[in-house]
Amino acid sequence: MAGSAFIATPALADDPTAPPSAFTITGSAGVWSQYRFRGISQSNNRPVFQGSVTVSHASGFYLSTWGSSASAGNSTVNIGGSEIDVYGGYTHALGSTGVTFDGGLYGYLYPGAPAGNYYEVYGSLAKTYGPATGKIGVNIAPDQKVFDYYSGTNYNVYVYGELGFSVPGTAFSVHSHLGHTGGGFDYTKDYIDYNVGVSYKWKALTFDVSGVGTNVSHKNARNNPFVDQTGTPSPFQTYRAAKAVVVGSISASF
């Protein structure tokens, strides 16, 4: 799909009467002070590079890939040095309601730690009210091989809600996220993660500062510690990966 879109573009540019391409290619790349996934550090609280590319069709179908670097250090999370996600789905407005549906299949790939590969089915509903946008969604990881390496539930359900607000007349926007993980991917327990931040857009660049964390406490980490990279149960590293932090990022989009 991406290749055909690139090939078609020069020919269309020579003919001003030709209709616009049904395909759109967008992407982004940037640096983050650390990589947090659903509130849990995937990079030992260290900086990462991340990027994405999406090919969208006018019908509403799309295909995307996203990637991130990562460091393990002695943390309780080791994704093998990198993550590559591939996902595709369909998005469309529901009649005249102003509500937009988005759903599809999401695959998480870890080249350096393939035992952790898994997929989720996802769906969400979003609606914009003036400068504000609200969204609710769910990601379900059904029974699959990755859960052989976890004790307990052989599936996972992640539900979340988001609220964003663009400050009128400025390049600033505010965003927030609240989610709940329950099932095979529990971190010491069924847990809640949150994200609240401010973004500033300048030309193709976006600057963001966000507070990210979970409700995993010192007590939770002591009572149910995960093992660090030496194989030792570590309450310190368990809590460190889930504690509240400030995450900053600079990214460029095209």
Side-chain angles (χ1 to χ4, degrees):
M1 292 171 64
S4 63
F6 279 122
I7 293 170
T9 301
L12 294 176
D14 293 336
D15 183 2
T17 64
S21 172
F23 291 96
T24 302
I25 300 175
T26 57
S28 66
V31 59
W32 275 251
S33 61
Q34 64 172 280
Y35 171 24
R36 289 270 173 148
F37 177 67
R38 297 175 183 171
I40 307 299
S41 177
Q42 311 291 295
S43 64
N44 193 31
N45 292 11
R46 295 175 180 174
V48 296
F49 295 98
Q50 297 181 347
S52 67
V53 175
T54 298
V55 180
S56 304
H57 189 265
S59 63
F61 288 98
Y62 60 88
L63 181 65
S64 300
T65 183
W66 176 93
S68 178
S69 61
S71 301
N74 195 37
S75 69
T76 56
V77 179
N78 183 2
I79 63 174
S82 64
E83 176 182 338
I84 300 174
D85 298 348
V86 179
Y87 58 100
Y90 177 76
T91 182
H92 198 272
L94 301 180
S96 59
T97 63
V99 176
T100 299
F101 166 80
D102 182 19
L105 187 66
Y106 202 113
Y108 302 83
L109 307 175
Y110 307 99
N117 295 349
Y118 70 100
Y119 70 91
E120 292 181 325
V121 179
Y122 65 90
S124 67
L125 297 173
K127 185 175 177 62
T128 297
Y129 300 87
T133 299
K135 182 179 180 180
I136 56 173
V138 59
N139 289 48
I140 300 174
D143 186 8
Q144 54 195 291
K145 189 173 182 179
V146 67
F147 293 112
D148 293 343
Y149 302 94
Y150 295 88
S151 60
T153 311
N154 60 349
Y155 66 90
N156 192 78
V157 178
Y158 182 72
V159 294
Y160 66 91
E162 297 179 346
L163 185 63
F165 182 82
S166 298
V167 182
T170 76
F172 287 96
S173 61
V174 180
H175 58 85
S176 62
H177 173 101
L178 185 66
H180 177 270
T181 295
F185 295 148
D186 287 357
Y187 192 80
T188 73
K189 62 176 182 177
D190 284 13
Y191 74 94
I192 294 171
D193 72 277
Y194 56 85
N195 182 325
V196 179
V198 178
S199 296
Y200 177 80
K201 189 169 180 61
W202 179 73
K203 297 184 178 180
L205 296 178
T206 299
F207 303 84
D208 186 89
V209 177
S210 298
V212 183
T214 73
N215 69 336
V216 174
S217 66
H218 284 288
K219 182 178 180 181
N220 298 142
R222 287 194 304 270
N223 291 343
N224 191 17
F226 279 53
V227 298
D228 60 23
Q229 298 308 300
T230 69
T232 305
S234 174
F236 171 77
Q237 292 292 352
T238 299
Y239 178 72
R240 180 173 176 267
K243 69 178 183 179
V245 296
V246 175
V247 178
S249 66
I250 302 175
S251 59
S253 59
F254 64 88

